[in-house]
Amino acid sequence: MPFVHEVHNITYPDEIYEHITDRELDFRETFISDEISGLKICLQSGLPYCLMIEEDAVVPVDFMTLLLKQVIEPLENKGVLNPSGGTGAISVVSLYSYYNLVFFGPHRLHYERYSKNKYQDDRAKMNIERWAWNMLPYKPKFQVKEKDYKYGTVAMLYTRESAMKLVEFMQSVGVDPIHNADEFMNADEYFPKVMGVKRKHVNPSLVNHIGFYSERMAHVKARGMFSQLNTDSRFIYDSGVL
């Protein structure tokens, strides 16, 4: 799979912010501007697909094989993706599934009911541990499913067509934005509505969100707990060999 083998400086603001000369862009504006700049780089490459991954993310050792064999090729075989034209019936596909959320859901890591019970079944186990517990060796298996979730840009896959339309959409909502970039991208009433296709995600996460504590969100408390980052305890970087 070809990549853009160049280093790009995207610290400049997008053209929609050229009129702002008396101050720095605020967080929402910077978020939107950076997303647009990254998408434009993908479009300039002429490649059929665009994959954007945040710097605080980690991929498994066999990432490209898994991405091609278990995400892209199954979607191409179903006619969802068209590699020759860079088109397809998708809006965005998140390679990260937001499994262990901070503020809601049954898989919150700081909830003892989860951390002392189901977490032990969920968490990734290397093959040496699986062998010790008489478990079969780890076999990666990923599925692409529709998922209604309106936050996050950890690892996002687009077609060239959807990337082009997302640039246009983000530019249309980016001046005096009422939301962060991720909500405009993910929420059903925004970009998925423009594309006429619901957001999808890969389950379990093919790309994980690393880290545990967010300095930017340090002021936010999760029901009395410190602010942690969303993650996926099922993710495994390298299962190892026996």
Side-chain angles (χ1 to χ4, degrees):
M1 186 175 182
F3 289 91
V4 179
H5 291 287
E6 298 178 16
V7 176
H8 295 263
N9 178 3
I10 60 169
T11 57
Y12 53 85
D14 187 64
E15 62 196 55
I16 62 173
Y17 299 118
E18 288 179 348
H19 66 286
I20 300 178
T21 58
D22 59 341
R23 63 172 176 84
E24 297 290 330
L25 299 187
D26 64 24
F27 176 79
R28 282 182 173 173
E29 292 166 338
T30 300
F31 194 172
I32 291 171
S33 182
D34 288 350
E35 289 296 326
I36 292 173
S37 297
L39 289 165
K40 284 181 175 180
I41 291 170
C42 289
L43 291 171
Q44 290 169 4
S45 73
L47 298 175
Y49 303 124
C50 174
L51 175 60
M52 293 177 61
I53 303 178
E54 293 181 354
E55 76 280 1
D56 58 345
V58 61
V59 302
V61 291
D62 47 358
F63 171 68
M64 282 309 305
T65 298
L66 294 172
L67 176 63
L68 289 170
K69 298 298 183 183
Q70 298 202 29
V71 177
I72 291 177
E73 289 182 6
L75 291 176
E76 289 177 344
N77 293 336
K78 292 177 182 178
V80 176
L81 296 178
N82 175 16
S84 61
T87 61
I90 68 168
S91 51
V92 298
V93 178
S94 173
L95 304 186
Y96 173 61
S97 69
Y98 295 87
Y99 187 70
N100 298 111
L101 298 174
V102 177
F103 297 106
F104 54 90
H107 309 124
R108 285 168 281 185
L109 293 175
H110 60 279
Y111 268 40
E112 289 190 9
R113 184 170 56 186
Y114 173 73
S115 63
K116 292 186 176 181
N117 295 286
K118 192 173 185 300
Y119 168 76
Q120 299 303 325
D121 295 326
D122 283 347
R123 67 174 180 81
K125 301 171 183 67
M126 294 181 64
N127 280 329
I128 189 66
E129 182 180 4
R130 298 178 73 88
W131 174 80
W133 287 100
N134 293 318
M135 300 171 66
L136 293 174
Y138 171 74
K139 184 177 181 180
K141 184 177 182 181
F142 301 92
Q143 293 182 310
V144 181
K145 300 179 177 180
E146 286 187 358
K147 179 64 177 179
D148 180 16
Y149 189 72
K150 62 182 181 179
Y151 301 115
T153 57
V154 174
M156 309 298 278
L157 178 69
Y158 313 93
T159 62
R160 186 167 66 246
E161 175 189 40
S162 63
M164 186 181 305
K165 291 184 177 180
L166 182 55
V167 167
E168 295 172 355
F169 176 71
M170 295 293 273
Q171 289 180 328
S172 72
V173 298
V175 178
D176 299 321
I178 60 174
H179 299 296
N180 289 338
D182 55 345
E183 191 164 345
F184 282 128
M185 294 161 61
N186 289 286
D188 281 346
E189 63 267 33
Y190 293 115
F191 186 62
K193 184 178 181 179
V194 170
M195 294 297 294
V197 185
K198 287 184 174 292
R199 172 192 185 275
K200 293 180 173 63
H201 78 169
V202 176
N203 189 55
S205 297
L206 179 55
V207 178
N208 201 17
H209 200 188
I210 61 175
F212 191 72
Y213 181 77
S214 170
E215 290 184 355
R216 184 175 67 84
M217 298 293 289
H219 64 287
V220 178
K221 301 294 182 181
R223 297 188 184 276
M225 303 297 291
F226 58 85
S227 174
Q228 67 186 75
L229 293 172
N230 299 320
T231 189
D232 191 339
S233 59
R234 303 167 300 174
F235 175 84
I236 189 163
Y237 168 71
D238 184 0
S239 61
V241 296
L242 293 175

